[in-house]
Amino acid sequence: MRILFVSNRLPLVIEKNGSDWSTQRGSGGLVTALDPVLKRSGGIWVGWPGTADIEINTLNTLLADFSEREGYRVAAVPLTAEEYKHFYEGYCNQIVWPLFHDLQSLCNFQPDYWASALKVEQKFAEVVQRHAQPNDLIWVQDYQLMGLGKALADRGVGNKIAFFLHIPFPPPDIFCKLPWRTDVLKALLHYEVIGLQTMRDLRNFSDCVNALLPDVEQRRTSRQSRMMLEERCSVAGVFPIGIDFEEFAGGAAEPRVAQNAAELRKNYPDRQIVLGVDRLDYTKGVPYRLRSFARMLERYPDLRRKVTLFQVVVPSREAVPQYQDLKAEIEQMVAHINGKYTEPGWVPIHYVFKHVDRSELLAWYRVADIALVTSLKDGMNLVAKEYCACQLDGNGVLVLSEFAGASEQLGRWAVLVNPYDIDGVADAIKLAALMTPAERRSAMEKLRTNIREQNVYWWLSQFLKVCGTRVNDAMPPPTIGKVA
Ligand code: GDG
């Protein structure tokens, strides 16, 4: 069975240097995970190419070159500048994203955005239909395309169609704020398989279906719910996404990364490095984290000069006004805290606002004594898993938000926090900083074992099994094994 992946963005970045265009492979766990499956199954990836400013023939040539180089086909869904604005910036990022992260006060429920979403779904459906072969599994990714399954069914596409939601699914009292709640829920039930990250999300989804679609008959087991409406049946299940553990652990062991890590360590002698790595996004809880860090310095003066927070914020969605405000807020807070606490030879917060290259990121993961993952809500949070994978010496401590999906899997061995509890997070940083080497190593070993076993290939195989694909045909061999 061939897989046809659909995501909002294609797995590539198109760049212009002077008058020349080029493509680079996109980064991130999803691309790493899906890439070998696509190559093996001769699959195809459908999505928006990431820019509206390119002439169609140039785009087609670029995509053909990319396909040749990567070993699988990609097909573009071109969007106009207005569609980008109303669908992507509007419907996706000013409605669904904040609402599904329980932040309904940040939503902008513009009716035009919904109209645009319906139009864009039709555009995606048209391209998918053009490229789908009769036996393809069509696998749609993430919140931007919740309605695509219905758009495909309406066109008579008879393939098996599955969906995976990377972000949380909200509880009914929040989901019901969505003006198009019933349409979205009914549309989701056109997927045969609906993948969710955690039990929390499955429970919320199932409760929303109960509340809004009482005619749907549900049969629940602990990790799945079979939902039947008229002649259709969908299976909603829990599939926590993993990372390519070996790739991160192996990358962290590379000589260049090891040297980089040793140099970083030399710059922070006798000091614990506390690391935060986040996309610029209000869901990641960076301002609360900074407040907690400052509170820790205030309450525990003995820890001053002994800890330094290295905070990376990666630019993201900067056209959306709330993201611009967030950037300004973070910068003001960093300046304020540093202004208040800096002493000769010690600056409390090192702040970086850029995309750091992979080897630098791995060096930070490897060297950091504590990782602070304090999202207000998160589907999973891959940074938490990547950090542990790169902890080759096993000395690091993971401080993890109880509202990140990762906490369901990793919470037993992390220092769990409520990210809104400023005193609680301040105390958790202190607790982490004072943990003994034996305590740290014992917890980190268990974290790493879990993340290695439930890696991204495990995630794929669990999902494909429920879809009824011949897993071994679509999958690369599992990479569970010895690591450094
Ligand atoms: C969504 C859900 C869910 C970050 N900074 C740099 C960099 N990164 C990479 C990390 C990691 C990825 O970005 C971020 O992944 P997260 O999972 O933390 O968050 P989202 O982007 O919000 O992802 C989330 C995920 O989908 C998967 O299902 O876990 O809950 O919100 O891979 O490594 N990479 C490099 N430089 C950086 O500066 N190279």
Side-chain angles (χ1 to χ4, degrees), residues 97 166 197 241 277 279 284 314 354-356 358 361 365 378-383 386:
W97 178 269
H166 290 257
Q197 298 267 28
I241 197 165
V277 177
R279 260 188 325 99
K284 303 296 178 184
V314 187
K354 65 170 185 185
H355 183 271
V356 298
R358 189 175 163 77
L361 181 69
Y365 281 154
D378 225 323
M380 178 56 57
N381 195 290
L382 297 182
V383 168
E386 293 167 6

Side-chain angles (χ1 to χ4, degrees), residues 35-252:
D35 191 72
V37 185
L38 275 161
K39 283 182 178 151
R40 240 178 139 165
S41 68
I44 176 164
W45 194 318
V46 174
W48 176 59
T51 173
D53 300 331
I54 186 166
E55 196 261 321
I56 191 75
N57 289 333
T58 315
L59 175 64
N60 287 338
T61 312
L62 276 175
L63 296 186
D65 291 348
F66 179 86
S67 298
E68 174 102 345
R69 208 170 64 226
E70 297 294 325
Y72 57 84
R73 290 174 58 208
V74 288
V77 183
L79 299 184
T80 64
E82 178 166 314
E83 283 163 350
Y84 175 77
K85 207 168 162 39
H86 285 185
F87 164 69
Y88 182 65
E89 286 180 359
Y91 174 72
C92 300
N93 290 335
Q94 291 182 54
I95 298 180
V96 183
W97 178 269
L99 189 73
F100 279 41
H101 287 89
D102 301 351
L103 299 165
Q104 72 266 30
S105 58
L106 298 184
C107 293
N108 176 9
F109 293 113
Q110 279 270 3
D112 292 355
Y113 293 169
W114 171 245
S116 184
L118 295 176
K119 216 168 115 200
V120 169
E121 278 160 11
Q122 290 302 326
K123 276 194 155 182
F124 269 83
E126 197 265 311
V127 178
V128 171
Q129 185 172 32
R130 197 162 0 112
H131 289 278
Q133 292 172 6
N135 287 327
D136 285 354
L137 166 69
I138 299 175
W139 188 3
V140 179
Q141 304 289 325
D142 224 359
Y143 67 100
Q144 299 92 345
L145 298 174
M146 288 186 290
L148 182 57
K150 176 176 184 313
L152 287 165
D154 287 349
R155 287 171 168 263
V157 174
N159 296 57
K160 184 168 277 195
I161 310 176
F163 176 75
F164 187 79
L165 184 69
H166 290 257
I167 68 173
F169 201 95
D173 54 345
I174 291 189
F175 182 75
C176 285
K177 309 273 183 337
L178 185 68
W180 315 284
R181 57 201 189 184
T182 314
D183 305 75
V184 168
L185 218 48
K186 274 191 179 157
L188 274 168
L189 293 180
H190 283 78
Y191 291 109
E192 279 184 51
V193 179
I194 301 157
L196 300 154
Q197 298 267 28
T198 63
M199 309 270 275
R200 166 194 73 185
D201 303 314
L202 177 62
R203 193 173 54 242
N204 288 343
F205 180 59
S206 164
D207 289 351
C208 287
V209 170
N210 265 341
L212 292 168
L213 303 175
D215 292 343
V216 174
E217 191 191 325
Q218 290 199 53
R219 288 200 204 129
R220 285 283 305 268
T221 62
S222 68
R223 295 182 78 82
Q224 279 187 9
S225 179
R226 196 168 281 276
M227 301 182 174
M228 279 148 302
L229 178 63
E230 292 150 14
E231 76 287 4
R232 282 202 314 275
C233 173
S234 305
V235 176
V238 178
F239 306 92
I241 197 165
I243 58 165
D244 188 337
F245 182 93
E246 308 299 329
E247 212 214 312
F248 277 92

Side-chain angles (χ1 to χ4, degrees), residues 313-325:
V313 174
V314 187
S316 172
R317 302 178 195 171
E318 283 174 280
V320 180
Q322 281 134 356
Y323 288 68
Q324 294 158 6
D325 297 346

